[in-house]
Amino acid sequence: MKVAVMGTGHVGLVSCVTFASIGHEVVGTDVDVAKIELLERGIPPFFEPGLEEAMKREKASGRLSFTTVAAEALRDAEVVFICVGTPARANGDANLLAMEQSAGQIARHAPDGAVVVEKSTVPAGTADRVQTTLQREGGERRFHVASNPEFLREGAAMRDSLEPDRIVIGIESPRSLEVLKRLYAPLLEAGVHLIVTDIRTAELAKHASNAFLSLKISFANALARVCERAGADVTAVADVMGSDPRIGRAFLNAGIGYGGYCFPKDVAALRRLSERLGYPFPLLREVERLNDEAVEAAATKVEEALWNMEGKRIALLGLAFKPGTDDVRFSPALTLARRLLASGAHVVACDPHAASNAKDELPELELARDAYEAASGAHAIVIATDWEEFRNLDLARLRGIMTYPMVVDGRNLLDSVEMAEAGFWYYPTGRPPVVPAPTTSGPASAEAVEPAVPIGQRSTTP
Ligand code: UDX
């Protein structure tokens, strides 16, 4: 099939490569000339495991190409995917200007009868607006609008796209269903679950899924606050809860909160949609508040552990909003960096992939090559992103180079027993801290620290 994809961001580019991989002829188009130039040279504009190789392979096969000229991409397209950004406006509403502009382009350049599919995450009812624009600007031509939300995660996008849990198709005409079933035939034949709904249900299901996952994370973060006060372990509580299949263990990891391009804007967009429809849905406001509180809780922990922040060096490990990506958009790690800088600390950060993107967003951030350079002379390490690299740090080496052997673990990445054995002051999230026997003068220097108190006897207050 001839497929046009409008927008070559994370969802658009991965979709281009996926559709080409399952045998279609795909043209991706974007208004960003620099991005298309990179793609024409076979270079993805962001880091995503497996994407570059697959993109090069599909380009070489002749099934995948890119253009800045939308008319070229649309000319013979049987199906057009709209994958443009729908960022949040200041009040939380989704900004749908790019959707309208894409619909206008399709109306002017796509052939009569083309199926126009929203893949971007949009508020329920957006397809009606797309349809209206197509009608107003399409002259005599008629189009079939459909919704096909994408559930791919950054860092696992190729796998999520080629082996999805489900394919959701929202349709209004049999023609849309026939075309989309034909498009996805290789995945459907491989047994992927297909759910067919009306368009508004498909649109809403995407927002509901992301908001519910955010809710699970915020629930875990609120539980972490309770566990810290009760002397319980939030990870073990989550294990117990998660072993009930009605609850599920995924997305119950307490930490410094969710970030990225999707969750924050999608929670806000669903909240705004509900408000506009006359149902305020205050639970979503609380999900957002708890997410802000998670960063604040980590910052407070650092302040309580270090007393005054001026003159204190903090090694911030991780800047990406999650491991496996170089994306720092709405990263809680960056929010934490800003918060620590504002408190007067000297923050030195590192990240295996996201350091330069972080520097673009926060130029005053000092960067180190790795965790050891960041930790050299530091009064505390703060773990902000759960990269595997940080799980296996040489604790003896760190203890030797730090001013205070102290770790605030915002992602519960490290093991309390190992931290105790290595002589660290260790403050995880929603789990009992590990602190050496009480002294009268706060944390000792690396040379002077006593072996940590065995786990069973540790104090539960910093
Ligand atoms: C998300 C959805 O998972 C995906 O289905 C959708 O299509 C796009 O949005 P993504 O933004 O790539 O994907 O990130 P995800 O892996 O879901 O993580 C989001 C955030 O939640 C990250 O900041 C992560 O660190 C945080 N998180 C996740 C937690 O804090 N705790 C958890 O238990 C899980």
Side-chain angles (χ1 to χ4, degrees), residues 355-419:
S356 82
N357 285 345
K359 186 80 179 167
D360 291 343
E361 278 227 9
L362 189 57
E364 60 268 45
L365 195 62
E366 187 176 326
L367 293 177
R369 275 193 305 273
D370 59 21
Y372 300 102
E373 191 178 292
S376 178
H379 295 81
I381 285 175
V382 177
I383 300 178
T385 311
D386 37 348
W387 286 101
E388 273 308 304
E389 284 88 333
F390 302 147
R391 199 190 292 279
N392 303 310
L393 293 170
D394 180 339
L395 296 178
R397 183 174 164 199
L398 282 179
R399 191 166 177 270
I401 58 177
M402 292 178 71
T403 300
Y404 296 162
M406 184 175 289
V407 175
V408 173
D409 190 349
R411 292 293 183 185
N412 284 337
L413 196 62
L414 304 180
D415 181 75
S416 294
V417 175
E418 283 174 22
M419 295 306 282

Short mmCIF file of all heavy atoms in Angstrom, two decimals, residues 355-419:
data_model
loop_
_atom_site.label_atom_id
_atom_site.label_comp_id
_atom_site.label_asym_id
_atom_site.label_seq_id
_atom_site.Cartn_x
_atom_site.Cartn_y
_atom_site.Cartn_z
N ALA A 355 23.00 14.11 28.04
CA ALA A 355 23.71 15.26 28.61
C ALA A 355 23.62 16.50 27.70
O ALA A 355 23.34 17.60 28.18
CB ALA A 355 25.16 14.89 28.89
N SER A 356 23.83 16.31 26.40
CA SER A 356 23.87 17.52 25.58
C SER A 356 22.47 18.12 25.39
O SER A 356 22.31 19.34 25.37
CB SER A 356 24.59 17.27 24.24
OG SER A 356 23.71 16.70 23.33
N ASN A 357 21.43 17.27 25.31
CA ASN A 357 20.07 17.82 25.26
C ASN A 357 19.75 18.58 26.55
O ASN A 357 19.08 19.62 26.52
CB ASN A 357 19.04 16.70 25.08
CG ASN A 357 19.02 16.18 23.66
OD1 ASN A 357 19.56 16.81 22.75
ND2 ASN A 357 18.43 15.02 23.45
N ALA A 358 20.23 18.06 27.67
CA ALA A 358 19.97 18.72 28.95
C ALA A 358 20.67 20.07 29.01
O ALA A 358 20.12 21.06 29.49
CB ALA A 358 20.44 17.84 30.11
N LYS A 359 21.88 20.10 28.47
CA LYS A 359 22.64 21.36 28.48
C LYS A 359 21.92 22.43 27.64
O LYS A 359 21.90 23.60 27.99
CB LYS A 359 24.05 21.08 27.91
CG LYS A 359 24.99 22.24 27.98
CD LYS A 359 25.60 22.40 29.36
CE LYS A 359 26.58 23.55 29.40
NZ LYS A 359 26.95 23.92 30.77
N ASP A 360 21.29 21.99 26.53
CA ASP A 360 20.53 22.94 25.71
C ASP A 360 19.37 23.53 26.51
O ASP A 360 19.04 24.69 26.38
CB ASP A 360 19.95 22.25 24.45
CG ASP A 360 21.06 21.87 23.49
OD1 ASP A 360 22.18 22.41 23.62
OD2 ASP A 360 20.81 21.02 22.61
N GLU A 361 18.73 22.69 27.33
CA GLU A 361 17.56 23.16 28.11
C GLU A 361 17.97 23.95 29.34
O GLU A 361 17.25 24.84 29.78
CB GLU A 361 16.73 21.96 28.59
CG GLU A 361 15.80 21.45 27.53
CD GLU A 361 14.39 21.23 28.07
OE1 GLU A 361 14.07 21.61 29.19
OE2 GLU A 361 13.61 20.64 27.30
N LEU A 362 19.12 23.58 29.92
CA LEU A 362 19.54 24.21 31.18
C LEU A 362 21.03 24.53 31.09
O LEU A 362 21.87 23.81 31.63
CB LEU A 362 19.25 23.21 32.33
CG LEU A 362 19.39 23.70 33.75
CD1 LEU A 362 18.50 24.91 34.02
CD2 LEU A 362 19.05 22.58 34.74
N PRO A 363 21.37 25.63 30.40
CA PRO A 363 22.77 25.92 30.11
C PRO A 363 23.65 26.07 31.35
O PRO A 363 24.84 25.79 31.30
CB PRO A 363 22.71 27.24 29.32
CG PRO A 363 21.31 27.33 28.83
CD PRO A 363 20.46 26.61 29.81
N GLU A 364 23.05 26.47 32.48
CA GLU A 364 23.89 26.66 33.67
C GLU A 364 24.29 25.35 34.34
O GLU A 364 25.07 25.34 35.30
CB GLU A 364 23.21 27.59 34.69
CG GLU A 364 21.88 27.14 35.23
CD GLU A 364 20.70 27.69 34.42
OE1 GLU A 364 20.75 27.65 33.17
OE2 GLU A 364 19.71 28.12 35.04
N LEU A 365 23.79 24.24 33.81
CA LEU A 365 24.12 22.94 34.40
C LEU A 365 25.56 22.56 34.05
O LEU A 365 25.95 22.60 32.89
CB LEU A 365 23.17 21.89 33.83
CG LEU A 365 23.09 20.56 34.55
CD1 LEU A 365 22.59 20.75 35.98
CD2 LEU A 365 22.13 19.63 33.80
N GLU A 366 26.33 22.18 35.07
CA GLU A 366 27.70 21.71 34.80
C GLU A 366 27.66 20.21 34.52
O GLU A 366 26.99 19.47 35.25
CB GLU A 366 28.58 22.01 36.01
CG GLU A 366 30.05 21.71 35.76
CD GLU A 366 30.91 22.09 36.97
OE1 GLU A 366 30.60 23.09 37.66
OE2 GLU A 366 31.89 21.37 37.20
N LEU A 367 28.33 19.79 33.47
CA LEU A 367 28.26 18.38 33.09
C LEU A 367 29.57 17.67 33.39
O LEU A 367 30.65 18.24 33.26
CB LEU A 367 27.96 18.25 31.59
CG LEU A 367 26.58 18.72 31.14
CD1 LEU A 367 26.46 18.60 29.63
CD2 LEU A 367 25.48 17.91 31.83
N ALA A 368 29.45 16.41 33.77
CA ALA A 368 30.62 15.55 33.95
C ALA A 368 30.52 14.41 32.95
O ALA A 368 29.43 14.09 32.47
CB ALA A 368 30.64 15.00 35.37
N ARG A 369 31.69 13.80 32.64
CA ARG A 369 31.69 12.71 31.65
C ARG A 369 30.96 11.47 32.17
O ARG A 369 30.30 10.77 31.45
CB ARG A 369 33.13 12.34 31.29
CG ARG A 369 33.74 13.19 30.20
CD ARG A 369 35.04 12.56 29.69
NE ARG A 369 35.96 12.32 30.80
CZ ARG A 369 36.83 13.22 31.26
NH1 ARG A 369 36.90 14.41 30.71
NH2 ARG A 369 37.64 12.93 32.27
N ASP A 370 31.14 11.19 33.47
CA ASP A 370 30.51 9.99 34.02
C ASP A 370 30.23 10.20 35.51
O ASP A 370 30.53 11.26 36.08
CB ASP A 370 31.38 8.76 33.79
CG ASP A 370 32.76 8.90 34.41
OD1 ASP A 370 32.92 9.73 35.34
OD2 ASP A 370 33.69 8.19 33.97
N ALA A 371 29.70 9.15 36.13
CA ALA A 371 29.28 9.25 37.54
C ALA A 371 30.48 9.55 38.45
O ALA A 371 30.34 10.29 39.43
CB ALA A 371 28.63 7.94 37.96
N TYR A 372 31.65 9.01 38.12
CA TYR A 372 32.81 9.19 39.00
C TYR A 372 33.30 10.64 38.94
O TYR A 372 33.65 11.23 39.96
CB TYR A 372 33.91 8.20 38.63
CG TYR A 372 33.42 6.78 38.76
CD1 TYR A 372 33.06 6.04 37.63
CD2 TYR A 372 33.25 6.19 40.01
CE1 TYR A 372 32.56 4.76 37.75
CE2 TYR A 372 32.75 4.91 40.15
CZ TYR A 372 32.41 4.19 39.00
OH TYR A 372 31.90 2.92 39.13
N GLU A 373 33.32 11.20 37.72
CA GLU A 373 33.75 12.60 37.61
C GLU A 373 32.74 13.49 38.35
O GLU A 373 33.14 14.43 39.06
CB GLU A 373 33.85 13.00 36.13
CG GLU A 373 34.53 14.35 35.94
CD GLU A 373 34.66 14.71 34.46
OE1 GLU A 373 35.41 14.04 33.74
OE2 GLU A 373 33.99 15.67 34.04
N ALA A 374 31.46 13.19 38.20
CA ALA A 374 30.43 14.00 38.88
C ALA A 374 30.57 13.88 40.40
O ALA A 374 30.42 14.86 41.13
CB ALA A 374 29.03 13.55 38.44
N ALA A 375 30.88 12.66 40.87
CA ALA A 375 30.91 12.40 42.32
C ALA A 375 32.19 12.88 42.99
O ALA A 375 32.25 12.94 44.22
CB ALA A 375 30.72 10.92 42.57
N SER A 376 33.19 13.21 42.19
CA SER A 376 34.47 13.59 42.78
C SER A 376 34.30 14.87 43.62
O SER A 376 33.93 15.92 43.11
CB SER A 376 35.47 13.81 41.63
OG SER A 376 36.68 14.22 42.18
N GLY A 377 34.54 14.75 44.91
CA GLY A 377 34.41 15.89 45.81
C GLY A 377 32.96 16.21 46.20
O GLY A 377 32.71 17.19 46.91
N ALA A 378 32.00 15.36 45.75
CA ALA A 378 30.59 15.68 46.01
C ALA A 378 30.20 15.40 47.47
O ALA A 378 30.74 14.50 48.11
CB ALA A 378 29.69 14.87 45.07
N HIS A 379 29.24 16.18 47.94
CA HIS A 379 28.70 15.96 49.29
C HIS A 379 27.54 14.96 49.23
O HIS A 379 27.15 14.42 50.27
CB HIS A 379 28.22 17.27 49.90
CG HIS A 379 29.34 18.25 50.13
ND1 HIS A 379 29.85 19.05 49.12
CD2 HIS A 379 30.07 18.52 51.24
CE1 HIS A 379 30.83 19.78 49.62
NE2 HIS A 379 30.99 19.49 50.89
N ALA A 380 26.98 14.78 48.05
CA ALA A 380 25.92 13.79 47.90
C ALA A 380 25.76 13.44 46.42
O ALA A 380 25.98 14.29 45.55
CB ALA A 380 24.59 14.32 48.42
N ILE A 381 25.41 12.18 46.20
CA ILE A 381 24.96 11.75 44.87
C ILE A 381 23.44 11.73 44.91
O ILE A 381 22.86 11.28 45.90
CB ILE A 381 25.49 10.33 44.55
CG1 ILE A 381 26.98 10.37 44.21
CG2 ILE A 381 24.69 9.67 43.44
CD1 ILE A 381 27.61 9.00 43.99
N VAL A 382 22.81 12.20 43.84
CA VAL A 382 21.35 12.09 43.73
C VAL A 382 21.07 11.32 42.45
O VAL A 382 21.47 11.74 41.36
CB VAL A 382 20.68 13.48 43.67
CG1 VAL A 382 19.18 13.34 43.49
CG2 VAL A 382 20.99 14.27 44.95
N ILE A 383 20.39 10.18 42.57
CA ILE A 383 20.06 9.39 41.37
C ILE A 383 18.69 9.82 40.86
O ILE A 383 17.69 9.75 41.58
CB ILE A 383 20.07 7.88 41.67
CG1 ILE A 383 21.47 7.47 42.15
CG2 ILE A 383 19.66 7.08 40.43
CD1 ILE A 383 21.61 6.02 42.53
N ALA A 384 18.67 10.32 39.62
CA ALA A 384 17.44 10.90 39.08
C ALA A 384 16.86 10.10 37.92
O ALA A 384 15.68 10.26 37.58
CB ALA A 384 17.69 12.34 38.64
N THR A 385 17.68 9.27 37.27
CA THR A 385 17.19 8.43 36.17
C THR A 385 17.76 7.03 36.39
O THR A 385 18.94 6.88 36.71
CB THR A 385 17.70 8.94 34.80
OG1 THR A 385 17.45 10.34 34.71
CG2 THR A 385 17.00 8.24 33.64
N ASP A 386 16.90 6.01 36.21
CA ASP A 386 17.33 4.64 36.54
C ASP A 386 18.07 3.93 35.40
O ASP A 386 17.68 2.83 34.99
CB ASP A 386 16.15 3.80 37.06
CG ASP A 386 14.82 4.09 36.37
OD1 ASP A 386 14.73 5.09 35.64
OD2 ASP A 386 13.87 3.31 36.56
N TRP A 387 19.14 4.53 34.92
CA TRP A 387 20.00 3.89 33.93
C TRP A 387 20.70 2.68 34.57
O TRP A 387 21.15 2.76 35.71
CB TRP A 387 21.10 4.85 33.47
CG TRP A 387 20.66 5.94 32.54
CD1 TRP A 387 20.42 7.25 32.86
CD2 TRP A 387 20.47 5.84 31.11
NE1 TRP A 387 20.07 7.96 31.73
CE2 TRP A 387 20.10 7.12 30.65
CE3 TRP A 387 20.57 4.79 30.20
CZ2 TRP A 387 19.83 7.39 29.30
CZ3 TRP A 387 20.30 5.05 28.86
CH2 TRP A 387 19.93 6.34 28.43
N GLU A 388 20.82 1.59 33.81
CA GLU A 388 21.53 0.39 34.31
C GLU A 388 22.95 0.73 34.73
O GLU A 388 23.48 0.17 35.70
CB GLU A 388 21.56 -0.71 33.23
CG GLU A 388 20.36 -1.61 33.21
CD GLU A 388 20.01 -2.22 34.56
OE1 GLU A 388 20.86 -2.90 35.18
OE2 GLU A 388 18.86 -2.01 35.00
N GLU A 389 23.59 1.64 33.98
CA GLU A 389 24.97 2.04 34.28
C GLU A 389 25.14 2.46 35.74
O GLU A 389 26.20 2.26 36.33
CB GLU A 389 25.39 3.25 33.41
CG GLU A 389 25.71 2.93 31.98
CD GLU A 389 24.50 2.99 31.06
OE1 GLU A 389 23.37 2.76 31.55
OE2 GLU A 389 24.68 3.24 29.86
N PHE A 390 24.10 3.05 36.31
CA PHE A 390 24.22 3.56 37.68
C PHE A 390 23.96 2.47 38.72
O PHE A 390 24.23 2.66 39.90
CB PHE A 390 23.26 4.74 37.91
CG PHE A 390 23.46 5.90 36.96
CD1 PHE A 390 22.38 6.68 36.55
CD2 PHE A 390 24.72 6.22 36.48
CE1 PHE A 390 22.56 7.75 35.68
CE2 PHE A 390 24.91 7.28 35.60
CZ PHE A 390 23.83 8.05 35.20
N ARG A 391 23.41 1.35 38.27
CA ARG A 391 23.11 0.27 39.22
C ARG A 391 24.39 -0.44 39.66
O ARG A 391 24.47 -0.97 40.76
CB ARG A 391 22.16 -0.74 38.55
CG ARG A 391 21.43 -1.63 39.53
CD ARG A 391 20.70 -2.74 38.81
NE ARG A 391 19.57 -2.29 38.01
CZ ARG A 391 18.37 -2.01 38.51
NH1 ARG A 391 18.14 -2.14 39.80
NH2 ARG A 391 17.39 -1.61 37.72
N ASN A 392 25.37 -0.43 38.75
CA ASN A 392 26.58 -1.23 39.02
C ASN A 392 27.80 -0.37 39.29
O ASN A 392 28.90 -0.71 38.87
CB ASN A 392 26.84 -2.15 37.81
CG ASN A 392 25.64 -3.02 37.52
OD1 ASN A 392 25.12 -3.65 38.44
ND2 ASN A 392 25.17 -3.02 36.28
N LEU A 393 27.62 0.73 39.99
CA LEU A 393 28.76 1.61 40.26
C LEU A 393 29.70 0.95 41.26
O LEU A 393 29.28 0.14 42.09
CB LEU A 393 28.25 2.95 40.83
CG LEU A 393 27.45 3.80 39.83
CD1 LEU A 393 26.78 4.97 40.55
CD2 LEU A 393 28.36 4.31 38.71
N ASP A 394 30.98 1.32 41.19
CA ASP A 394 31.99 0.82 42.12
C ASP A 394 31.86 1.65 43.41
O ASP A 394 32.35 2.78 43.49
CB ASP A 394 33.37 0.98 41.46
CG ASP A 394 34.49 0.49 42.35
OD1 ASP A 394 34.28 0.39 43.58
OD2 ASP A 394 35.58 0.22 41.81
N LEU A 395 31.18 1.06 44.40
CA LEU A 395 30.85 1.83 45.61
C LEU A 395 32.09 2.23 46.39
O LEU A 395 32.18 3.34 46.94
CB LEU A 395 29.89 1.02 46.49
CG LEU A 395 28.52 0.72 45.86
CD1 LEU A 395 27.67 -0.14 46.81
CD2 LEU A 395 27.78 2.01 45.52
N ALA A 396 33.09 1.33 46.44
CA ALA A 396 34.32 1.65 47.19
C ALA A 396 35.03 2.84 46.54
O ALA A 396 35.50 3.76 47.22
CB ALA A 396 35.23 0.43 47.22
N ARG A 397 35.04 2.83 45.21
CA ARG A 397 35.69 3.93 44.50
C ARG A 397 34.95 5.25 44.77
O ARG A 397 35.58 6.28 45.05
CB ARG A 397 35.71 3.62 43.00
CG ARG A 397 36.41 4.67 42.18
CD ARG A 397 36.54 4.23 40.73
NE ARG A 397 36.86 5.38 39.89
CZ ARG A 397 36.69 5.43 38.59
NH1 ARG A 397 36.21 4.37 37.95
NH2 ARG A 397 37.01 6.50 37.91
N LEU A 398 33.62 5.18 44.72
CA LEU A 398 32.83 6.39 44.96
C LEU A 398 33.09 6.93 46.37
O LEU A 398 33.29 8.12 46.57
CB LEU A 398 31.33 6.09 44.83
CG LEU A 398 30.76 5.99 43.42
CD1 LEU A 398 29.27 5.67 43.49
CD2 LEU A 398 30.98 7.28 42.63
N ARG A 399 33.08 6.01 47.32
CA ARG A 399 33.25 6.42 48.72
C ARG A 399 34.61 7.10 48.90
O ARG A 399 34.74 8.06 49.66
CB ARG A 399 33.13 5.20 49.63
CG ARG A 399 33.04 5.55 51.09
CD ARG A 399 32.59 4.36 51.91
NE ARG A 399 32.59 4.75 53.33
CZ ARG A 399 33.65 4.59 54.11
NH1 ARG A 399 34.77 4.07 53.65
NH2 ARG A 399 33.57 4.97 55.39
N GLY A 400 35.57 6.62 48.15
CA GLY A 400 36.92 7.19 48.24
C GLY A 400 37.03 8.60 47.68
O GLY A 400 37.88 9.37 48.11
N ILE A 401 36.18 8.93 46.71
CA ILE A 401 36.35 10.24 46.04
C ILE A 401 35.34 11.29 46.50
O ILE A 401 35.47 12.46 46.16
CB ILE A 401 36.28 10.11 44.49
CG1 ILE A 401 34.93 9.50 44.05
CG2 ILE A 401 37.45 9.31 43.95
CD1 ILE A 401 34.76 9.41 42.53
N MET A 402 34.34 10.85 47.27
CA MET A 402 33.31 11.83 47.69
C MET A 402 33.72 12.54 48.99
O MET A 402 34.45 11.98 49.81
CB MET A 402 31.96 11.12 47.89
CG MET A 402 31.37 10.62 46.58
SD MET A 402 29.81 9.75 46.83
CE MET A 402 28.71 11.11 47.26
N THR A 403 33.19 13.74 49.19
CA THR A 403 33.45 14.46 50.43
C THR A 403 32.63 13.82 51.56
O THR A 403 33.15 13.53 52.63
CB THR A 403 33.07 15.94 50.27
OG1 THR A 403 33.88 16.47 49.22
CG2 THR A 403 33.35 16.73 51.54
N TYR A 404 31.32 13.61 51.31
CA TYR A 404 30.48 12.82 52.22
C TYR A 404 30.02 11.59 51.44
O TYR A 404 29.59 11.74 50.30
CB TYR A 404 29.22 13.57 52.64
CG TYR A 404 29.40 14.84 53.45
CD1 TYR A 404 28.35 15.75 53.53
CD2 TYR A 404 30.57 15.11 54.14
CE1 TYR A 404 28.46 16.91 54.29
CE2 TYR A 404 30.70 16.27 54.89
CZ TYR A 404 29.65 17.17 54.96
OH TYR A 404 29.75 18.31 55.69
N PRO A 405 30.05 10.41 52.05
CA PRO A 405 29.56 9.22 51.34
C PRO A 405 28.03 9.14 51.45
O PRO A 405 27.50 8.39 52.26
CB PRO A 405 30.24 8.07 52.08
CG PRO A 405 30.44 8.59 53.47
CD PRO A 405 30.58 10.07 53.38
N MET A 406 27.35 9.92 50.66
CA MET A 406 25.91 10.04 50.81
C MET A 406 25.20 9.89 49.46
O MET A 406 25.63 10.49 48.48
CB MET A 406 25.60 11.42 51.41
CG MET A 406 24.14 11.61 51.70
SD MET A 406 23.86 13.17 52.52
CE MET A 406 24.58 12.87 54.12
N VAL A 407 24.13 9.09 49.43
CA VAL A 407 23.38 8.90 48.19
C VAL A 407 21.89 9.08 48.47
O VAL A 407 21.34 8.44 49.37
CB VAL A 407 23.62 7.49 47.59
CG1 VAL A 407 22.74 7.27 46.36
CG2 VAL A 407 25.09 7.31 47.21
N VAL A 408 21.25 9.96 47.72
CA VAL A 408 19.79 10.08 47.73
C VAL A 408 19.31 9.40 46.45
O VAL A 408 19.63 9.85 45.35
CB VAL A 408 19.34 11.55 47.79
CG1 VAL A 408 17.82 11.66 47.64
CG2 VAL A 408 19.80 12.20 49.10
N ASP A 409 18.59 8.29 46.62
CA ASP A 409 18.24 7.46 45.46
C ASP A 409 16.80 7.76 45.05
O ASP A 409 15.84 7.18 45.58
CB ASP A 409 18.43 5.98 45.82
CG ASP A 409 18.31 5.07 44.61
OD1 ASP A 409 17.89 5.57 43.54
OD2 ASP A 409 18.65 3.88 44.73
N GLY A 410 16.65 8.65 44.08
CA GLY A 410 15.32 9.06 43.61
C GLY A 410 14.67 8.01 42.73
O GLY A 410 13.53 8.21 42.28
N ARG A 411 15.34 6.91 42.45
CA ARG A 411 14.74 5.87 41.60
C ARG A 411 14.84 4.48 42.22
O ARG A 411 14.61 3.48 41.52
CB ARG A 411 15.41 5.87 40.22
CG ARG A 411 15.11 7.12 39.38
CD ARG A 411 13.66 7.19 38.97
NE ARG A 411 13.37 8.33 38.11
CZ ARG A 411 12.14 8.64 37.72
NH1 ARG A 411 11.11 7.91 38.08
NH2 ARG A 411 11.92 9.68 36.96
N ASN A 412 15.21 4.40 43.50
CA ASN A 412 15.35 3.11 44.18
C ASN A 412 16.15 2.11 43.35
O ASN A 412 15.75 0.95 43.18
CB ASN A 412 13.97 2.54 44.52
CG ASN A 412 13.35 3.25 45.71
OD1 ASN A 412 14.07 3.85 46.53
ND2 ASN A 412 12.04 3.23 45.81
N LEU A 413 17.28 2.59 42.87
CA LEU A 413 18.09 1.78 41.96
C LEU A 413 19.07 0.89 42.72
O LEU A 413 19.43 -0.19 42.25
CB LEU A 413 18.86 2.74 41.03
CG LEU A 413 19.46 2.17 39.79
CD1 LEU A 413 18.38 1.61 38.88
CD2 LEU A 413 20.24 3.26 39.04
N LEU A 414 19.50 1.34 43.89
CA LEU A 414 20.57 0.64 44.59
C LEU A 414 20.01 -0.22 45.72
O LEU A 414 18.85 -0.08 46.12
CB LEU A 414 21.59 1.66 45.11
CG LEU A 414 22.18 2.57 44.04
CD1 LEU A 414 23.18 3.54 44.66
CD2 LEU A 414 22.85 1.77 42.93
N ASP A 415 20.87 -1.09 46.24
CA ASP A 415 20.47 -2.06 47.23
C ASP A 415 20.89 -1.58 48.63
O ASP A 415 22.06 -1.26 48.86
CB ASP A 415 21.16 -3.39 46.90
CG ASP A 415 20.78 -4.47 47.87
OD1 ASP A 415 19.65 -4.95 47.77
OD2 ASP A 415 21.61 -4.78 48.76
N SER A 416 19.93 -1.54 49.55
CA SER A 416 20.20 -1.00 50.88
C SER A 416 21.30 -1.76 51.61
O SER A 416 22.15 -1.17 52.27
CB SER A 416 18.93 -1.03 51.74
OG SER A 416 17.97 -0.15 51.21
N VAL A 417 21.29 -3.09 51.48
CA VAL A 417 22.30 -3.90 52.20
C VAL A 417 23.69 -3.56 51.66
O VAL A 417 24.63 -3.32 52.43
CB VAL A 417 22.00 -5.41 52.03
CG1 VAL A 417 23.09 -6.25 52.65
CG2 VAL A 417 20.64 -5.74 52.63
N GLU A 418 23.82 -3.50 50.33
CA GLU A 418 25.13 -3.18 49.75
C GLU A 418 25.58 -1.77 50.14
O GLU A 418 26.76 -1.53 50.41
CB GLU A 418 25.08 -3.27 48.23
CG GLU A 418 25.11 -4.69 47.73
CD GLU A 418 24.90 -4.77 46.22
OE1 GLU A 418 25.14 -3.76 45.52
OE2 GLU A 418 24.48 -5.84 45.77
N MET A 419 24.62 -0.85 50.19
CA MET A 419 24.97 0.53 50.55
C MET A 419 25.42 0.59 52.01
O MET A 419 26.37 1.30 52.36
CB MET A 419 23.79 1.48 50.32
CG MET A 419 23.39 1.63 48.87
SD MET A 419 24.75 2.12 47.81
CE MET A 419 24.85 3.87 48.18
#
